[in-house]
Amino acid sequence: MKIGLLGHGVVGSGVRKIIDEKLTDETKNLEITRILVKDTSEITDVRMTTDVNDILLDPSIDVVVECMGGIEPARKYALEALEHGKHFVTSNKKMFASSILELQECAERNHVSLHYEATCGGGIPWIANIDRCKRVDTIDSLKGIFNGTTNYILSRMYHENQDFVSMLKEAQDLGYAEKDPTDDIDGYDIRYKTMISILKAFGKRVNLEDIPMFGIRYIDASDLKYCKENGYVVKMIGRAERNGDVVSSSVMPMLVKKDDVFAFIPLNFNAIASNSKTLGKAVYIGQGAGSLPTAHAVVQDIIDIEKSQSMEMQFEDGMINNENVEGIYYIRSKNMEVFQDIMDGEVTKKVRLLEVLDRMKKANDKEAFIAEVEA
Ligand SMILES: NC(=O)c1ccc[n+]([C@@H]2O[C@H](COP(=O)([O-])OP(=O)(O)OC[C@H]3O[C@@H](n4cnc5c(N)ncnc54)[C@H](OP(=O)(O)O)[C@@H]3O)[C@@H](O)[C@H]2O)c1
């Protein structure tokens, strides 16, 4: 099976390494024949090119693997690859989550498959495990530490009394966080992954913007002090539940009990839990990012294509409806008077999420910190 690789950064170089090493019988059948790089100065291998048409128009290439990141030109190349009858694999959650409908239609029209295991949970086989679970069972809810950068920052802050700014800098120095860390720390990255998980687990295609989102940009020592004094650990969580046709979902910090399995997820690891009727709660833990773990997930997708095992692509339109979601929320804002009648100390009484979202808007405090408190 011949592969064209778009992008040779952290993930792309890992994919090249695993496939070039041919360590297993399954990978021996795979061959990367062309690699797209951005600039001629980056060419270090005879297979490298700066002309994407060397890949998209090459009839011998069966699979195009995209590890460039960003929406454009990744989306354009994806559609062109599918139109040219090539199977398509991506690790790019931002492009995939925002273009799923047109990618799905294009893949179906051209009778090729679209694979995206590496978009969620890095090296954890999360998407594949959803598929396995769904062969027997119905998934009712999912919840995950989907982002290694925020888990790293929160772990170091919580366990070593470090401050947010220096831990963010450290995460950037270690290559976990991008130079512009917005996607990680404000929750966008987790929202893409939660949306893709909803797609896969519930078969519903929902609008990204309908998933309410809060991040950790303004977490401070007083929030961590509250956690420690009250037996909680703070984690960034994407969650979704399904009740019949109704899907509820949010992305925000959560105060999890200190004996909860999520409380023990260290540093840049990810953990994702699903709840289904016969399997019950299942938790998948592993490297949520990194060159080889993420590349592992990409190569698994390529092997599935070789074995003609397509990823399910039957989704219907769904809507996020948080009308019936209730919880207890920790809130710190300079405008606490807006929340006064729903507070019980530093946390709310049991209230509707929509009520809290409404009051957060009224408080108009961009430095406020909010977290759901695990029941
Ligand atoms: N890193 C991880 O652990 C991880 C885990 C899961 C998913 N992902 C996702 O995987 C994707 C790739 O991530 P990454 O960490 O590998 O990023 P990266 O290290 O920045 O690699 C991306 C590579 O693609 C190249 N590229 C970008 N636009 C290009 C273009 N138009 N033509 C040719 N080459 C182009 C970049 O070149 P320049 O550097 O010259 O711009 C860079 O070499 C992203 O969508 C990311 O969200 C990453």
Side-chain angles (χ1 to χ4, degrees), residues 10-278:
V10 174
V11 180
S13 62
V15 172
R16 183 197 42 75
K17 188 165 191 290
I18 292 177
I19 292 180
D20 282 359
E21 278 180 357
K22 299 192 185 299
L23 288 178
T24 67
D25 286 346
E26 309 279 20
T27 55
K28 275 185 190 131
N29 297 328
L30 310 178
E31 185 190 359
I32 295 179
T33 55
R34 295 316 297 256
I35 302 171
L36 180 73
V37 294
K38 216 185 221 171
D39 193 88
T40 46
S41 63
E42 294 167 51
I43 294 181
T44 54
D45 181 308
V46 289
R47 296 171 292 182
M48 290 180 175
T49 174
T50 55
D51 183 355
V52 72
N53 286 329
D54 287 344
I55 293 173
L56 300 179
L57 303 182
D58 181 342
S60 72
I61 289 180
D62 308 291
V63 184
V64 170
V65 173
E66 185 266 318
C67 306
M68 302 190 312
I71 294 182
E72 295 294 357
R75 177 189 144 278
K76 179 172 173 284
Y77 294 170
L79 291 169
E80 284 179 26
L82 295 166
E83 287 291 1
H84 284 99
K86 299 181 189 314
H87 303 287
F88 184 75
V89 178
T90 186
S91 61
N92 183 345
K93 59 252 168 183
K94 187 173 190 168
M95 185 277 290
F96 183 72
S98 45
S99 317
I100 172 65
L101 187 55
E102 55 184 343
L103 292 174
Q104 178 194 7
E105 280 171 0
C106 192
E108 276 174 7
R109 189 158 28 82
N110 290 286
H111 310 290
V112 284
S113 58
L114 184 60
H115 290 244
Y116 47 91
E117 177 68 60
T119 59
C120 281
I124 303 174
W126 163 235
I127 301 288
N129 274 306
I130 295 178
D131 272 340
R132 279 188 70 77
C133 182
K134 279 173 62 183
R135 296 196 296 196
V136 184
D137 214 347
T138 306
I139 298 176
D140 298 318
S141 67
L142 59 95
K143 174 172 146 187
I145 297 174
F146 283 104
N147 181 275
T149 304
T150 46
N151 203 54
Y152 179 85
I153 294 170
L154 292 174
S155 297
R156 298 285 315 274
M157 287 180 75
Y158 184 90
H159 293 291
E160 297 168 46
N161 296 324
Q162 301 283 354
D163 69 278
F164 177 78
V165 174
S166 43
M167 285 309 95
L168 172 60
K169 163 110 187 24
E170 201 171 289
Q172 286 170 319
D173 291 346
L174 287 165
Y176 300 153
E178 313 253 330
K179 274 197 198 94
D180 175 0
T182 306
D183 270 11
D184 285 330
I185 63 176
D186 291 336
Y188 292 94
D189 176 83
I190 302 175
R191 188 153 78 169
Y192 300 134
K193 293 168 176 170
T194 304
M195 187 263 198
I196 295 168
S197 301
I198 290 172
L199 185 80
K200 198 69 199 164
F202 305 157
K204 301 279 186 200
R205 200 173 35 227
V206 299
N207 276 336
L208 271 173
E209 293 73 23
D210 292 343
I211 302 176
M213 176 183 86
F214 295 95
I216 60 163
R217 193 180 282 266
Y218 296 107
I219 188 170
D220 72 15
S222 70
D223 306 321
L224 295 166
K225 183 167 176 281
Y226 176 85
C227 286
K228 286 180 185 172
E229 287 175 358
N230 292 277
Y232 294 111
V233 175
V234 59
K235 296 289 178 184
M236 245 329 255
I237 299 286
R239 50 151 280 277
E241 283 99 40
R242 162 171 58 182
N243 194 348
D245 260 359
V246 177
V247 178
S248 64
S249 178
S250 61
V251 170
M252 66 167 76
M254 182 179 273
L255 309 191
V256 299
K257 290 184 181 137
K258 66 175 188 213
D259 55 359
D260 184 287
V261 62
F262 278 22
F264 297 96
I265 305 306
L267 302 173
N268 61 334
F269 273 70
N270 281 192
I272 316 173
S274 62
N275 235 308
S276 56
K277 292 202 172 24
T278 52

